[in-house]
């Protein structure tokens, strides 16, 4: 499986989990600044419900092999990126302590998220171990009212 997932400037509107039961879908997206990568609202779709996630997200995103976690670039208010790990079983979003410039993800295998930071200038490889990395924030995913989406 060697398909392209997109770039931070051009990524899919929806990423379906490997088991086909879930997806992350982008709503409105726009440039963070002129010529900069895209950022926007993101929704978790489970069965027939659609829940808006708190925060601004970018792409591309990658699902773990067993569909229980998904990694997605997360934009901060000061236009830095963090890596968000969405834990489906716990219904929470973990925000990395580590800052990134521009995240371009490629795969999520055996608890490791792979990609590159800053695909255009001074590129560095990303190898993010979900089990040992530190997280600065945890956001609970509110599912009770589905944010008005069905």
């Amino acid at each position: 499986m060697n398909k392209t997932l997109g770039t931070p400037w051009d990524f899919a509107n929806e990423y379906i989990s490997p088991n086909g039961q879930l997806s992350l879908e982008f709503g409105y997206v726009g440039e963070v600044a002129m010529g900069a990568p895209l950022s926007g609202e993101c929704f978790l779709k489970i069965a027939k419900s659609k829940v808006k996630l708190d925060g601004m997200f970018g792409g591309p995103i990658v699902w773990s092999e067993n569909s229980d976690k998904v990694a997605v670039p997360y934009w901060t208010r000061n236009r830095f990126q963090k890596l968000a790990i969405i834990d489906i079983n716990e219904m929470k979003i973990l925000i990395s302590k580590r800052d990134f410039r521009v995240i371009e993800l490629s795969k999520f295998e055996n608890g490791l998220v792979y990609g590159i930071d800053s695909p255009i200038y001074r590129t560095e490889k990303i190898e993010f171990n979900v089990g040992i990395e530190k997280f600065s924030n945890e956001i609970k995913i509110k599912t009770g009212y589905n944010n008005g989406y069905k």
Side-chain angles (χ1 to χ4, degrees):
M1 189 169 133
N2 194 9
K3 66 178 184 175
T4 180
L5 297 170
T7 73
W9 294 266
D10 182 21
F11 50 86
N13 185 52
E14 183 176 23
Y15 290 85
I16 299 170
S17 64
N19 68 10
Q21 304 296 305
L22 312 155
S23 73
L24 273 189
E25 179 182 275
F26 288 93
Y28 171 79
V29 295
E31 294 176 334
V32 174
M34 187 180 276
L38 301 175
S39 168
E41 57 188 10
C42 194
F43 300 87
L44 174 62
K45 289 171 61 178
I46 303 173
K48 294 186 183 194
S49 67
K50 186 173 172 178
V51 179
K52 186 175 189 286
L53 302 176
D54 288 339
M56 296 299 281
F57 299 88
I61 68 154
V62 289
W63 284 91
S64 62
E65 322 80 288
N66 61 1
S67 303
D68 69 340
K69 290 183 177 66
V70 60
V72 57
Y74 176 88
W75 285 98
T76 67
R77 290 175 203 250
N78 58 2
R79 297 185 182 156
F80 284 105
Q81 280 194 315
K82 303 241 180 216
L83 185 59
I85 304 296
I86 300 170
D87 187 320
I88 302 302
N89 297 327
E90 299 290 325
M91 291 305 281
K92 64 184 177 184
I93 306 168
L94 299 169
I95 307 298
S96 70
K97 186 170 182 155
R98 189 171 11 153
D99 287 326
F100 298 92
R101 293 169 288 166
V102 177
I103 299 172
E104 185 173 311
L105 299 175
S106 57
K107 67 180 174 176
F108 193 159
E109 285 181 350
N110 302 317
L112 290 173
V113 178
Y114 298 92
I116 54 175
D117 187 12
S118 192
I120 292 176
Y121 180 68
R122 293 199 308 205
T123 302
E124 296 176 16
K125 287 184 180 178
I126 296 172
E127 211 173 279
F128 189 93
N129 186 325
V130 175
I132 63 172
E133 285 280 349
K134 295 193 181 331
F135 295 95
S136 63
N137 196 8
E138 181 178 305
I139 303 167
K140 194 79 179 134
I141 298 173
K142 302 173 193 99
T143 59
Y145 57 92
N146 288 337
N147 293 347
Y149 298 93
K150 288 263 181 200

